[in-house]
Amino acid sequence: MSTVIQQLAAAKRAFLVAAAGCGKTQAIACAVAESVGERQLILTHTHAGVHSLRKRLRSLGVPRKQYEVETIAGWSLRLALAYPVRSGFGNPKPQTSTEWTQLYVGATQLLSLPFMQDVIQATYAGVYVDEYQDCTQTQHRLILALAQLLPCRVLGDPLQGIFGFGNDTIIDWDADVRSEFDALPSTLDTPWRWQAHNQRLGEWLSEVRTLIEAGQPIDLDQAPICWLRSTENNQRRICFDKIRAAGTVIAIHPENHHAHGCHKLASQLRGNYHSIEEMEAKALMKWARQIELAHTNERAVATIDFASECMTQVSTQLRGIKDKFSASGTSTPDFSRIRKHEAIAAALVSASRSDDLADVVNALRLIREIGDAYLYRADLWYEMLRSIKAYLAGGFSSLPDAAWHVRTQARFSGRRDFQRIVSRTLLVKGLEFDHAIVLDADNMDTKNLYVALTRGSKSLTVLSQEPVLNPWREE
């Protein structure tokens, strides 16, 4: 890898393609370490990627003043908001794909101004962009503007380009990257992720990549993996079996456009797996608005409904209590004859009578203690509690504002660590686990399948209808 590192550090305008697990992140960190006395800007797409890069840089002992690591989105937003008149962008909370596109256009416009060019060149000596295959066209134009000012090296893998951003289409590697950047002379082709854990698996995944690129079927029958026929019983059984495995486990669901399948499966696994939330935090923002806007008995109902989305058993065990609140209008329900969950009913009555959201926190705390109820959306649950506590501490005009702040903090501090999760490729791309379970693999296209297959460093289990996959048939 030393040759690649030297070439990266010396390159003025270059690209490097490398397969999953072959050391792109490590190569960036080592190249930055080579640039002693120079400050490098390192951009990527996800906050998981940011944390991974920072971790590698720290492990190499690279001084903090020698680099800045940020998402393209975060860096662009900070730049545009610093000069809202010149950038034409002043929205501190972009959420839609149109708003994000406007942001990148505004940031690119700033980079065309002489004073900003002087600032950029005085601040950084070079730029690296990781996971470049996920760049949209407007992000690509932003990076090209940076490449006019600084040495620029972009790294990625076209086979892992799975993100989509509305009308702002993803780049075409051959048409957009090869035409603007020079190929680095050396390559990264050693599957380091599996070298110390399961070398045969790493070698097989390299063979799978070749098959995918050639449009050939993938035969799982003789592969160094565990194959199971895809049924709901087998999905649950293998997930329960992996609880005994040492290390982290990811069960990857094929539903990339919505999270319903992940939440449903996690709810069936008795709290042993958690379904993680997307960074946009749509569910958190929805429930923050709903709980804040609800008053009297509607707030008690909203509290129960929120808990039902995060835990099993809540909708069943609290159905009678919820029905009484719903049927009572604005009057306080009579729970004098209740024989089960009396403390929860009393806490919900307090929440319905008061505008103090501390009563909602108390009710949720009691709901969390329901026997035989399992929390499976812990991301959403704990961020709502943190949002309410932040709002109660003051400094925010509304609960949704506090929730946005909490989620922004999570972007920089990283996700809560869970030993076992159920998720989609969109949320775990770039992450590494000890064991990976790929559910309904024959319902994934080539890129999502490749990302899913390459997440586990020690073992891989694949569930499909047949032991031969033809993922391109659906494309």
Side-chain angles (χ1 to χ4, degrees):
M1 185 184 282
S2 59
T3 301
V4 174
I5 292 166
Q6 292 167 0
Q7 291 174 357
L8 264 182
K12 299 302 181 185
R13 191 173 176 126
F15 75 84
L16 175 63
V17 173
C22 285
K24 291 190 297 294
T25 303
Q26 183 71 12
I28 292 173
C30 290
V32 172
E34 290 275 315
S35 305
V36 178
E38 296 181 341
R39 184 173 177 80
Q40 303 291 324
L41 174 62
I42 310 170
L43 299 174
T44 187
H45 288 274
T46 66
H47 291 280
V50 168
H51 295 301
S52 178
L53 283 159
R54 288 176 179 166
K55 182 178 179 180
R56 299 293 179 97
L57 289 160
R58 286 195 299 268
S59 70
L60 293 173
V62 182
R64 183 64 185 84
K65 63 182 180 181
Q66 200 167 316
Y67 61 87
E68 178 180 337
V69 187
E70 181 59 283
T71 62
I72 298 174
W75 187 82
S76 301
L77 183 60
R78 184 159 50 84
L79 182 70
L81 293 180
Y83 305 94
V85 175
R86 297 292 188 95
S87 68
F89 190 88
N91 178 7
K93 299 178 182 179
Q95 296 185 47
T96 67
S97 60
T98 299
E99 290 171 340
W100 284 109
T101 297
Q102 291 169 348
L103 165 63
Y104 299 128
V105 170
T108 304
Q109 180 176 303
L110 266 179
L111 294 177
S112 69
L113 303 177
F115 89 93
M116 182 52 62
Q117 294 176 350
D118 290 341
V119 170
I120 295 296
Q121 290 175 325
T123 305
Y124 309 110
V127 58
Y128 293 86
V129 188
D130 199 8
E131 305 290 356
Y132 203 77
Q133 75 280 346
D134 291 324
C135 277
T136 64
Q137 290 294 334
T138 53
Q139 289 173 331
H140 178 54
R141 287 191 283 273
L142 172 72
I143 301 304
L144 291 181
L146 278 172
Q148 295 292 326
L149 308 174
L150 301 168
C152 185
R153 311 83 161 178
V154 302
L155 299 86
D157 177 10
L159 201 51
Q160 296 185 68
I162 61 174
F163 288 156
F165 297 89
N167 294 326
D168 194 4
T169 57
I170 297 295
I171 59 165
D172 179 282
W173 193 275
D174 289 334
D176 297 315
V177 180
R178 292 183 183 276
S179 63
E180 295 287 351
F181 297 89
D182 299 321
L184 209 69
S186 299
T187 60
L188 294 171
D189 51 21
T190 301
W192 296 105
R193 179 174 296 167
W194 298 274
Q195 287 294 94
H197 305 296
N198 191 335
Q199 187 172 350
R200 178 67 188 99
L201 176 58
E203 293 169 352
W204 179 77
L205 289 168
S206 295
E207 296 168 8
V208 166
R209 183 185 181 88
T210 301
L211 292 172
I212 290 176
E213 291 177 329
Q216 298 295 312
I218 304 167
D219 190 348
L220 306 176
D221 198 37
Q222 301 300 318
I225 67 167
C226 173
W227 176 78
L228 293 171
R229 193 168 303 282
S230 185
T231 66
E232 287 193 8
N233 284 340
N234 278 344
Q235 286 184 0
R236 291 191 293 269
R237 179 169 66 83
I238 192 61
C239 287
F240 279 122
D241 285 348
K242 284 297 179 183
I243 294 172
R244 296 190 292 271
T248 55
V249 184
I250 172 67
I252 303 177
H253 201 281
E255 290 188 4
N256 250 342
H257 298 295
H258 54 84
H260 174 72
C262 296
H263 299 331
K264 179 181 177 182
L265 178 59
S267 72
Q268 297 170 346
L269 296 174
R270 302 173 65 84
N272 290 292
Y273 288 73
H274 290 281
S275 183
I276 60 176
E277 307 297 313
E278 78 285 349
M279 274 296 174
E280 289 77 10
K282 294 177 183 177
L284 176 66
M285 299 306 295
K286 180 193 82 170
W287 284 108
R289 288 190 293 269
Q290 198 159 323
I291 289 173
E292 180 177 66
L293 292 175
H295 296 285
T296 63
N297 292 344
E298 290 180 353
R299 178 165 286 178
V301 171
T303 302
I304 295 172
D305 287 343
F306 168 74
S308 298
E309 285 219 358
C310 301
M311 295 175 61
T312 63
Q313 295 292 321
V314 172
S315 59
T316 300
Q317 296 207 31
L318 300 187
R319 181 180 293 124
I321 293 175
K322 176 183 172 180
D323 288 346
K324 278 185 173 292
F325 276 111
S326 297
S328 297
T330 58
S331 302
T332 301
D334 179 10
F335 290 114
S336 60
R337 297 183 179 180
I338 193 171
R339 294 294 178 266
K340 191 176 183 181
H341 304 311
E342 299 98 324
I344 293 175
L348 289 167
V349 167
S350 296
S352 71
R353 288 176 172 176
S354 169
D355 287 331
D356 188 349
L357 292 178
D359 292 312
V360 172
V361 172
N362 185 47
L364 290 174
R365 179 181 60 80
L366 293 171
I367 291 172
R368 179 71 178 87
E369 296 172 0
I370 291 176
D372 297 326
Y374 300 102
L375 182 67
Y376 62 91
R377 291 181 72 177
D379 255 358
L380 178 57
W381 179 271
Y382 289 116
E383 288 196 347
M384 176 58 76
L385 292 178
R386 286 198 295 272
S387 299
I388 295 175
K389 290 176 181 177
Y391 175 65
L392 293 173
F396 300 100
S397 60
S398 67
L399 181 57
D401 281 346
W404 181 270
H405 173 75
V406 165
R407 198 50 168 169
T408 299
Q409 284 185 319
R411 290 175 184 268
F412 293 98
S413 61
R415 291 186 184 277
R416 188 184 182 94
D417 289 330
F418 298 111
Q419 189 79 356
R420 294 172 293 273
I421 65 175
V422 180
S423 192
R424 301 165 282 161
T425 53
L426 283 174
L427 303 188
V428 299
K429 191 175 76 68
L431 300 182
E432 179 182 333
F433 300 83
D434 294 306
H435 310 280
I437 305 168
V438 182
L439 308 168
D440 292 330
D442 34 18
N443 286 328
M444 293 182 177
D445 61 28
T446 53
K447 293 181 178 180
N448 281 285
L449 177 64
Y450 179 69
V451 170
L453 293 175
T454 54
R455 292 312 95 198
S457 64
K458 294 182 179 179
S459 77
L460 173 63
T461 303
V462 178
L463 289 85
S464 58
Q465 293 302 315
E466 300 295 336
V468 177
L469 300 177
N470 293 284
W472 55 89
R473 292 182 307 179
E474 304 300 325
E475 296 182 358

